[in-house]
Amino acid sequence: MDASTIAKPHDRLAAYLEADLEGVNDLIRDRMASEHAPRIPEVTRHLVEAGGKRLRPMLTLASAHLCGYPGPYHVHLAATVEFIHTATLLHDDVVDESAQRRGRPTANLLWDNKSSVLVGDYLFARSFQLMTETGNIAVLRILSDAAATIAEGEVLQMTAAQDLATDEAIYLQVVRGKTAALFSAAMEVGGVIAGQDDATTRALFDYGDALGIAFQIVDDLLDYQGQSSATGKNVGDDFRERKLTLPVIKAVEKAGAEERAFWSRTIEKGQQEDGDLDHALALLHKHDALEQTKQDAIAWAEKAKASLGTLPAHDLRDMLIDLADYVVERIN
């Protein structure tokens, strides 16, 4: 398949990395098997084969190729990254009491919360087994640090998400934990397994970090202005789940006493009534919060692109730059 003729950058990446991705998928299928607990592959298959873009494992593969790595352990690392991601999704859906992901019923809805939590634990364990097979202690440190940061970000979000005192700095800390940590680790381990110097692995880390932040900001923005057919979520889910995301944080910063009382009632106390979502949207528009959030996402995408400037010219570098643009194009 000629990657240059494909429109979307993540599809071009997938075409370029096609053989490696097949290896990743084979490894995932092999390692999510369980001789003693058939529930494990049932639950995992539902999520792994739900049509996700495999964006995070593609970042690892792309990073390794960009750094001239001949293999084979980039495939193990990409599968590790996907297992960590899938485990966090299973746990997230239980915590958020979600009913839909990628337009399909969530595993906790189809089975139960216990299955989702325990299968998530199994996938975390599998990810650590895969990491150790590389025999690279630096890789193990980066990915285990990322797993801890993700868990920390989720716990921080539980307390910060319904507290009007949460500001943009705390929001960024949550986003770095729950989303950007795995993007940056996925990029960094590709350079580390290829034996690159600190400056190169730092550039790869910085790209993943900024891309992950842009990605999450766009996700939070689309919750208020996306189409559920495109996002797989219902518009206003974050509001209904009382999540204080960046658009709301920006509106709260400019709120007068009456508006603040509205946000306190709906987000902090969870006393939501018919018409509250429409009123929330009106306040977001009044304070230009959606446009400002969009500008923040674009700025992070620009940071991601700039971080690749020190790396040598390569088709994959161009695709990663295009990917950063595409992440924010989803807003338009």
Side-chain angles (χ1 to χ4, degrees):
M1 197 186 297
D2 181 4
S4 64
T5 62
I6 299 169
K8 293 181 179 176
H10 59 268
D11 291 335
R12 287 204 299 279
L13 269 175
Y16 190 101
L17 301 165
E18 191 173 19
D20 278 347
L21 279 171
E22 281 180 21
V24 171
N25 288 334
D26 288 344
L27 194 54
I28 285 172
R29 272 190 289 271
D30 178 55
R31 299 304 174 91
M32 72 183 188
S34 169
E35 183 185 344
H36 306 295
R39 174 67 55 89
I40 288 172
E42 277 176 25
V43 173
T44 313
R45 192 178 302 113
H46 172 74
L47 201 52
V48 169
E49 296 177 2
K53 296 182 184 69
R54 291 280 196 278
L55 182 54
R56 293 153 188 82
M58 279 201 289
L59 292 178
T60 297
L61 299 173
S63 172
H65 276 287
L66 190 55
C67 296
Y69 180 64
Y73 289 119
H74 60 317
V75 171
H76 288 66
L77 292 174
T80 298
V81 165
E82 185 66 0
F83 270 163
I84 292 172
H85 177 53
T86 307
T88 60
L89 295 186
L90 284 165
H91 289 169
D92 277 0
D93 287 339
V94 172
V95 171
D96 295 341
E97 299 176 348
S98 300
Q100 192 183 51
R101 181 174 290 283
R102 296 171 185 159
R104 305 172 79 204
T106 53
N108 50 305
L109 193 70
L110 289 178
W111 287 275
D112 50 49
N113 284 342
K114 291 176 186 174
S115 295
S116 288
V117 170
L118 294 172
V119 173
D121 291 346
Y122 180 81
L123 293 184
F124 271 126
R126 278 298 202 208
S127 73
F128 284 100
Q129 287 176 326
L130 275 166
M131 280 181 230
T132 59
E133 288 172 30
T134 66
N136 186 313
I137 195 71
V139 155
L140 194 60
R141 178 187 56 76
I142 291 162
L143 286 168
S144 55
D145 282 355
T149 302
I150 291 164
E152 197 175 35
E154 291 292 349
V155 175
L156 174 60
Q157 181 179 251
M158 276 200 310
T159 54
Q162 290 159 11
D163 181 356
L164 292 194
T166 295
D167 58 13
E168 293 194 24
I170 295 171
Y171 169 82
L172 198 58
Q173 200 178 339
V174 169
V175 168
R176 276 215 158 93
K178 60 179 272 189
T179 303
L182 197 53
F183 278 71
S184 54
M187 287 294 297
E188 189 180 6
V189 292
V192 168
I193 201 74
Q196 291 296 310
D197 60 25
D198 288 349
T200 301
T201 54
R202 180 75 214 185
L204 295 167
F205 173 93
D206 287 345
Y207 170 83
D209 178 60
L211 183 75
I213 293 169
F215 185 91
Q216 187 59 53
I217 291 175
V218 168
D219 246 26
D220 292 344
L221 185 57
L222 287 174
D223 190 78
Y224 285 100
Q225 63 176 46
Q227 295 175 315
S228 54
S229 59
T231 61
K233 293 168 68 178
N234 299 310
V235 172
D237 272 352
D238 285 349
F239 179 76
R240 280 182 286 272
E241 290 168 16
R242 302 162 59 202
K243 286 184 183 171
L244 200 63
T245 58
L246 191 56
V248 176
I249 289 169
K250 288 183 180 293
V252 168
E253 279 174 1
K254 297 178 180 175
E258 193 178 323
E259 291 176 10
R260 197 174 176 86
F262 166 79
W263 292 119
S264 177
R265 173 174 65 79
T266 55
I267 301 290
E268 285 189 328
K269 296 173 185 164
Q271 296 165 2
Q272 296 187 8
E273 302 161 2
D274 286 348
D276 280 348
L277 176 58
D278 289 337
H279 187 57
L281 286 165
L283 293 178
L284 295 179
H285 285 292
K286 174 186 172 183
H287 294 300
D288 210 24
L290 298 175
E291 180 58 32
Q292 287 174 15
T293 299
K294 177 180 173 179
Q295 292 308 317
D296 283 5
I298 290 168
W300 281 106
E302 290 301 319
K303 280 186 185 179
K305 288 155 62 178
S307 66
L308 295 180
T310 57
L311 300 182
H314 195 290
D315 284 348
L316 280 168
R317 191 187 75 162
D318 295 341
M319 286 182 215
L320 291 171
I321 287 170
D322 290 346
L323 181 65
D325 283 329
Y326 179 71
V327 161
V328 291
E329 277 167 20
R330 295 186 301 154
I331 307 166
N332 298 322

